Amino acid sequence: MATRLAGHVVIAGVGCTRFGDLVSTPGIAGLSLQELAAAAAREALEDAGMRGHDVGALYAGNATGQSSGLPATHTQLARWVGLNLKPGVRIDAAGSTTNVAIVMAAEAIASGAIDSALVLGVEADRSRPKGLSPYEREPIPPDLLRVWTDQSCDQAYAVPQGHDMIAACNGIVAQGYMRRYSMSAKDYDRAMFEVCRTRRLHGALNPRAVLQQRLEDEAAEHGFADPFDFWRSSLNPFASWPARRRSLATPADGASAVVLVRGEAARGLPHRSVTLRGFGTAAADVPWYTLDPTNWRHDAVAIHAAFTMAGITGADIDHLHTDDSSHILGIVAAERTGYLPYGEGLEAASAGRLRFDGDKPMSTHGGRHAFGHASSASAGSDTYEAVMQIRGRAGAAQMPSAPGLSVVATHGRSLISQVLVLEGN
Amino acid sequence: MTSIIERHYRGLAGGIMYAHRCTDCYGLTFPMTTCCDDCGSFTYEEVRLAGRGVLLFASHTTAPASHPRFVGLAPYVLSHVLLDEGIATQGVLTGVDPTPDAMEDLYERRDVLVELDVLRTADLPVIAFRIR
Ligand SMILES: [Zn+2]
């Protein structure tokens, strides 16, 4: 039997900060993580026309306590977002955190226990507290970030024995894709350049993205007339053959927030509300695939559950976000949803069809590479973008025709596959 | 008491890979946990794996290492292997340079057979494979 919510739950407000670095990015440099979280929460609450005191519960997400200093995220942040004395919980589903929290909040609202909820994700994947200072921050050494984020992955066997996320999610998946569709390494490289070019275009159009420079402009800055020569240069080495560095996520500090309310409470909003029409979740640990590295069973389970609940197929999707912290994995997931035919995702990218103004727009805020990856806030950044696209308020990267139905599919290591089906009212 | 995890690493120290065979559905669970991957049963017996398989894919990692244990080794090659018993697993591949060219050569080859080659790190024997 398909899962159903007992009531109608809508997204009434969304918020998202600039993704960047609390040490050096203009606009957020110097802020504490508490203030960054509050900025996202305030935007979402004001968007919904509510104050924290009107909200029933707080679902506060954070994945990496070592960099946030917020291991008790809910109790430490409630005062900063106007939800003092309200019930809540800290939630960690890594890169799926905010969207898993949206589902949990929706279930609580549909049950009748609460009428509304604030979902909040805040993450520092670039900076950490400097010494014992409660407000000064410093860059995270690159080797430490992976040790911390790997803590969401099998600590009995895989991590102690050399598990490497970049190889497992990029190089090996890429080779699986090439083999499955008889694609040459040369053609693969060219297509991945096109995927990155599209994501960087979207980032350049988004004032909240961590990378706001088009790939072509970055190439020119380094003296390359042909951006593909730059792509193939030593400035963009293989991180895990055949996957290059610019096919990977860019770590960021960031926060995102969503206000959910019972359906009838959404009347009177100054903007189009968005219904949570379906969801699906599936979890597993490494290895994520068996014979075929492009066959992620948890994605199949989560997509099937969400689409069955929503009564949709891939043909109904107008706008899609997948976890593209590995660009090839984002394409694999898009094909799994049915949004793109199997084996045609890279061709679609090369033809510009995945651009915001193409016929199969994907990751229109720039994705994990250009918008950035702030683990527990990343899924919420996708949901923010989906809601803004549906409202027709996504700025320079607004789709020419606002989508009626958007699907957001995220991954949280290791591995929480989370799919939301969002529909404009 | 010896934990299941300790059994795994003690086995590797002696060059042996252990798995659990479910006494309800006969499914194999590797690496070993407290219950069956296939049916969730908590009853099992310990069995030895052959330590041989076929290389499905391999790619190189980057430096710095993803874990302090591998600081001296990174970059290295991570292999995706199908064991003779039908279990897919991943581990370091020894004897191959962690370079894009070497990865492409390996990708072009088919039916590369591998066997267990335990890697002795400073504090732990870990699963690795070598081409046979
Ligand atoms: Zn069993």
Side-chain angles (χ1 to χ4, degrees), chain B residues 22-27 36-41 43:
Chain B
C22 176
T23 50
D24 289 335
C25 79
Y26 302 103
C36 172
D37 273 352
D38 293 325
C39 77
S41 167
T43 61

Side-chain angles (χ1 to χ4, degrees), chain A residues 71-410:
Chain A
T73 318
H74 156 238
T75 50
Q76 290 187 56
L77 288 181
R79 292 178 60 236
W80 293 79
V81 297
L83 269 83
N84 204 17
L85 303 181
K86 297 286 181 164
V89 68
R90 175 215 177 214
I91 174 169
D92 169 18
S96 283
T97 297
T98 1
N99 288 1
V100 169
I102 284 173
V103 169
M104 295 176 73
E107 289 168 344
I109 291 169
S111 79
I114 51 175
D115 293 323
S116 60
L118 174 64
V119 164
L120 179 60
V122 61
E123 200 71 41
D125 281 342
R126 282 286 267 269
S127 68
R128 65 172 177 179
K130 186 174 182 181
L132 297 176
S133 174
Y135 59 91
E136 282 185 291
R137 302 187 69 81
E138 65 181 6
I140 300 172
D143 50 340
L144 260 189
L145 181 64
R146 290 178 66 188
V147 172
W148 291 342
T149 56
D150 270 354
Q151 288 184 349
S152 63
C153 195
D154 177 17
Q155 292 287 318
Y157 303 114
V159 171
Q161 301 195 85
H163 163 75
D164 186 276
M165 185 263 290
I166 294 175
C169 288
N170 291 272
I172 291 175
V173 174
Q175 291 177 33
Y177 195 93
M178 283 162 46
R179 174 128 329 142
R180 180 166 172 173
Y181 300 114
S182 303
M183 191 172 204
S184 72
K186 206 175 152 193
D187 289 348
Y188 177 84
D189 204 25
R190 180 82 208 188
M192 295 313 288
F193 160 72
E194 296 290 354
V195 172
C196 184
R197 206 153 71 97
T198 296
R199 301 294 151 88
R200 291 289 289 271
L201 167 69
H202 293 163
L205 296 172
N206 193 324
R208 300 175 199 234
V210 67
L211 299 179
Q212 297 180 16
Q213 186 181 39
R214 295 188 317 152
L215 192 59
E216 296 89 326
D217 296 335
E218 189 185 11
E221 197 175 275
H222 287 285
F224 288 85
D226 181 349
F228 188 54
D229 288 339
F230 169 67
W231 178 263
R232 289 181 297 179
S233 76
S234 60
L235 295 171
N236 188 34
F238 290 108
S240 175
W241 185 87
R244 293 186 186 270
R245 187 181 288 167
R246 281 174 180 72
S247 294
L248 274 54
T250 308
D253 300 336
S256 61
V258 176
V259 174
L260 294 130
V261 301
R262 195 185 306 286
E264 49 273 25
R267 286 190 211 107
L269 284 174
H271 50 68
R272 197 176 180 197
S273 66
V274 171
T275 294
L276 177 61
R277 188 164 151 183
F279 55 80
T281 313
D285 210 330
V286 289
W288 303 300
Y289 39 78
T290 54
L291 282 176
D292 176 2
T294 70
N295 183 12
W296 288 47
R297 288 178 305 160
H298 22 43
D299 283 355
V301 171
I303 290 165
H304 178 74
F307 285 20
T308 303
M309 183 173 171
I312 67 158
T313 69
D316 298 313
I317 303 170
D318 300 318
H319 171 255
L320 178 70
H321 269 235
T322 54
D323 167 35
D324 67 343
S325 50
S326 148
H327 274 171
I328 188 58
L329 194 52
I331 296 293
V332 165
E335 293 178 359
R336 176 68 88 166
T337 65
Y339 188 59
L340 302 169
Y342 282 108
E344 295 180 21
L346 294 185
E347 207 173 293
S350 299
R353 296 175 63 196
L354 309 187
R355 287 167 48 122
F356 72 97
D357 54 359
D359 68 320
K360 292 287 177 187
M362 269 188 72
S363 301
T364 45
H365 72 354
R368 302 282 182 269
H369 172 71
F371 191 83
H373 195 7
S375 301
S376 66
S378 290
S381 80
D382 293 329
T383 299
Y384 179 94
E385 172 70 10
V387 167
M388 287 303 182
Q389 286 286 352
I390 289 170
R391 290 186 195 164
R393 286 177 47 202
Q398 174 64 48
M399 289 163 55
S401 175
L405 193 130
S406 177
V407 167
V408 179
T410 56

Side-chain angles (χ1 to χ4, degrees), chain A residues 142-143 146-147 150 154-168 171-172 174-180 183 185-186 238-243 286-287 289-293, chain B residues 4-5 8-9 12 31-33 56-62 64-70 76 78-80 82 88-92 99-100 103-104 106-110 124-127:
Chain A
D143 50 340
R146 290 178 66 188
V147 172
D150 270 354
D154 177 17
Q155 292 287 318
Y157 303 114
V159 171
Q161 301 195 85
H163 163 75
D164 186 276
M165 185 263 290
I166 294 175
I172 291 175
Q175 291 177 33
Y177 195 93
M178 283 162 46
R179 174 128 329 142
R180 180 166 172 173
M183 191 172 204
K186 206 175 152 193
F238 290 108
S240 175
W241 185 87
V286 289
Y289 39 78
T290 54
L291 282 176
D292 176 2
Chain B
I4 292 169
I5 299 170
H8 171 87
Y9 290 105
L12 287 178
M32 301 177 286
T33 67
L56 297 173
F57 296 98
S59 192
H60 61 90
T61 70
T62 56
S66 56
H67 192 278
R69 185 170 289 112
F70 296 91
Y76 51 88
L78 184 76
S79 61
H80 184 57
L82 183 67
T89 191
Q90 296 188 334
V92 174
T99 62
M103 297 303 96
E104 187 162 8
L106 209 51
Y107 174 78
E108 296 298 338
R109 292 172 61 185
R110 303 290 173 101
L124 200 67
V126 304
I127 289 178

